[in-house]
Amino acid sequence: MEARTHRRSPAAVVGLALLAVAVMALPLLAAGRITARFGDSDEGINGAVWGANSRALRELGVVDSRFGGRRADGSLYASHPPGIVAETAAAETVFGEREWASRMPAWLGSMAAMVLLFVLLRRLAGPLVAGASTAAVALSPMFLVYGVMLDTPVTSLVFGLGVLLAWHAAWEGRTSRLTRPPVLAGAAFLAALAGWQATVLVALCGASLLVRHLRDRERPWPPGLWLLAGGATGAALSLSWAWWTYGSFEVMRDKFQGRSAGTEAASIADMVTFQVPWILQLLAFAVIGLVGCGVALRSPRYRPLAAMSLGIVALYALVFHAASAGHQYWNYWAVLPAAVGFAYVFDRLARDAGTNAPLVLVGAVVAIGLGNWLVAPHRAADEIARGHRTVDALLATELPADAQVVPYVGQALRPDSWIRYYTGRAAEPVQSIEQLDQLAATRPDMPVLVLGWCAEDDPGRPFCEAVADALGRAEPVVLPANALVQRLDGSSGPAG
């Protein structure tokens, strides 16, 4: 019998090649951020926080560390689902406590997310359009800069996409492995353990299926229930971890109120004012896809996925608007609706191009990638790189063996996590000339880390600004306390 051969069409081959570009873009273009130390930036601070939890879990054990929520120094952190702790500890157990291994749940998960995104979009528009759309968002600054950050918005995306795959199959009435009860419940369970945004997505997906059943009794109701059951179980475990670590839900309540009710002095208007410029910078030309997703709501074929993609991003930003007003990466999941919008735009473009569709879409992806590199501001990447130089400057300095703290000039509390992670010592802010004089009198050779920038609402800002002016607002630097006093005495700015 003659064997059958399955040959892919040229368009499908090009689509798979573009998928390969999307998957490999991160390790190739963000390799420096993958291997770098956890520095003085949101990316580094988050990495150090979860790295400390993972270290506690591996070194102290499950019970003594409360699954990583209680560190060796007694500090507690368990206000997000614990899946990221398990992933990080597993990676470090296998590969050792190295930054690239610690970040593995982020960068490897982001690579896997691109594969799932391709599979999701292929069902809508075929492999060529799916590959081009996935590559277009994979080349955005949002993905390349923050796709390696060890934090739940990044590590949970792949699990959220798994839920979307199962939900979309159920929504379309397809019978497949994705719609089997164990798969639905399992995907929702893992997503709820991965992040709060993924938990909200599970709730939206499950509720939408139930509402659709109530409107059309001929449609099956179990898929939505299985999603909600799996998600509720995962969410219950996440909350149980918080209670086990903190001893109550008081910390969780305070964090929820602070991030949603505006007690962090941020309103919805503040959030919009803060987020719009960052979205434009971080998505860059992928904003085309975000706009396209809004237009795709007109299409019956694209509408369910477009609505769910836009809905989860908008709802999470609105509910936690106080947090969204202070974290530029808060809308990291915007790459999802951007990809759906690109699929809609590229689908129409491919139909108009006919047999030239592969060439046209490859050209579009190349133009988007080059445009992002040449035109988009690099502020987020520059801030992370500066944070790397900050930690490098500190670790290149010999700290006194008997010192229990690391004095620093800059925003209070900000560098605590990465200073503790790398030195095992507490971070102590120096917020006035009197404090610096006292330190110089008792420990003149004590190294003082000057972060080089100051927070607007920090009580030590006047002194911080004076130090920055005296040092010429140069790169982060470490100076002995007495040398820093001399530099301030030689400057004309106020130091009080």
Side-chain angles (χ1 to χ4, degrees):
M1 180 180 293
E2 189 174 320
R4 291 184 177 181
T5 58
H6 179 71
R7 301 181 63 182
R8 298 185 184 275
S9 67
V13 172
V14 173
L16 291 174
L18 289 170
L19 170 62
V21 170
V23 171
M24 295 308 299
L26 198 64
L28 291 177
L29 300 179
R33 284 187 288 275
I34 291 174
T35 58
R37 290 176 171 137
F38 300 128
D40 187 50
S41 66
D42 287 336
E43 189 278 334
I45 291 168
N46 289 325
V49 165
W50 294 116
N53 281 47
S54 170
R55 181 185 290 167
L57 176 59
R58 290 182 293 104
E59 295 182 353
L60 301 179
V62 174
V63 176
D64 289 345
S65 72
R66 302 294 193 270
F67 201 78
R70 175 179 293 173
R71 288 81 169 264
D73 61 5
S75 60
L76 306 175
Y77 193 82
S79 56
H80 293 270
I84 188 173
V85 180
E87 290 181 89
T88 307
E92 291 177 341
T93 299
V94 175
F95 300 104
E97 193 176 283
R98 301 175 175 89
E99 284 83 0
W100 64 265
S102 302
R103 289 188 175 98
M104 188 173 284
W107 61 265
L108 192 59
S110 294
M111 293 170 69
M114 292 300 98
V115 176
L116 293 187
L117 186 57
F118 171 84
V119 174
L120 180 66
L121 298 178
R122 184 182 60 182
R123 182 75 189 183
L124 281 178
L128 174 62
V129 170
S133 304
T134 304
V137 296
L139 294 174
S140 68
M142 178 74 87
F143 185 75
L144 293 176
V145 172
Y146 289 110
V148 304
M149 179 176 66
L150 185 63
D151 199 19
T152 53
V154 179
T155 59
S156 65
L157 178 59
V158 64
F159 296 99
L161 284 167
V163 169
L164 272 182
L165 275 170
W167 168 80
H168 197 243
W171 185 269
E172 291 189 329
R174 288 185 273 131
T175 301
S176 67
R177 295 178 181 177
L178 292 174
T179 57
R180 292 177 181 175
V183 175
L184 289 166
F189 174 75
L190 292 176
L193 286 177
W196 294 128
Q197 190 167 13
T199 304
V200 175
L201 176 64
V202 170
L204 290 178
C205 290
S208 67
L209 290 173
L210 290 184
V211 170
R212 200 178 194 200
H213 165 72
L214 294 176
R215 296 179 61 183
D216 184 358
R217 296 286 180 161
E218 294 183 0
R219 292 187 174 276
W221 52 263
L225 290 181
W226 283 114
L227 283 175
L228 292 176
T233 304
L237 282 178
S238 296
L239 292 173
S240 298
W241 181 53
W243 178 84
W244 188 26
T245 299
Y246 296 124
S248 70
F249 289 121
E250 185 175 349
V251 173
M252 296 296 291
R253 182 199 63 198
D254 292 344
K255 285 184 176 290
F256 176 80
Q257 291 178 345
R259 296 190 170 199
S260 62
T263 55
E264 293 182 355
S267 64
I268 292 179
D270 294 328
M271 180 270 290
V272 173
T273 302
F274 177 84
Q275 279 293 329
V276 168
W278 275 113
I279 288 176
L280 293 175
Q281 284 189 38
L282 292 170
L283 285 183
F285 283 94
V287 169
I288 297 171
L290 197 60
V291 174
C293 192
V295 179
L297 293 171
R298 302 185 308 174
S299 168
R301 180 159 56 99
Y302 280 89
R303 185 178 300 129
L305 191 56
M308 188 62 71
S309 301
L310 288 171
I312 183 57
V313 173
L315 179 63
Y316 198 70
L318 288 172
V319 170
F320 298 105
H321 59 267
S324 184
H327 297 82
Q328 58 265 38
Y329 58 85
W330 194 261
N331 288 312
Y332 175 78
W333 276 34
V335 297
L336 171 59
V340 175
F342 269 130
Y344 177 77
V345 173
F346 288 163
D347 193 1
R348 297 174 66 89
L349 192 61
R351 293 184 184 187
D352 293 339
T355 57
N356 293 322
L359 182 62
V360 170
L361 293 195
V362 168
V365 171
V366 170
I368 289 169
L370 288 176
N372 291 339
W373 181 57
L374 294 172
V375 177
H378 296 169
R379 180 181 169 188
D382 290 343
E383 288 183 359
I384 293 174
R386 180 185 177 86
H388 295 158
R389 294 193 295 273
T390 303
V391 67
D392 289 344
L394 177 63
L395 297 185
T397 303
E398 184 175 353
L399 301 175
D402 62 336
Q404 301 300 313
V405 300
V406 175
Y408 71 92
V409 178
Q411 182 181 1
L413 303 179
R414 178 178 172 86
D416 291 25
S417 58
W418 64 262
I419 287 178
R420 284 183 178 273
Y421 182 81
Y422 283 115
T423 71
R425 310 173 194 218
E428 184 176 87
V430 180
Q431 297 183 312
S432 68
I433 188 62
E434 291 78 15
Q435 291 180 7
L436 181 61
D437 285 339
Q438 183 178 4
L439 179 63
T442 56
R443 299 293 300 265
D445 295 330
M446 173 67 76
V448 178
L449 171 65
V450 180
L451 298 179
W453 65 276
C454 312
E456 293 183 3
D457 57 348
D458 196 79
R461 185 183 180 185
F463 175 70
C464 179
E465 293 280 2
V467 173
D469 290 339
L471 299 180
R473 297 184 179 270
E475 287 290 299
V477 66
V478 180
L479 291 173
N482 59 350
L484 186 54
V485 170
Q486 293 171 9
R487 294 288 292 271
L488 281 172
D489 289 341
S491 69
S492 57

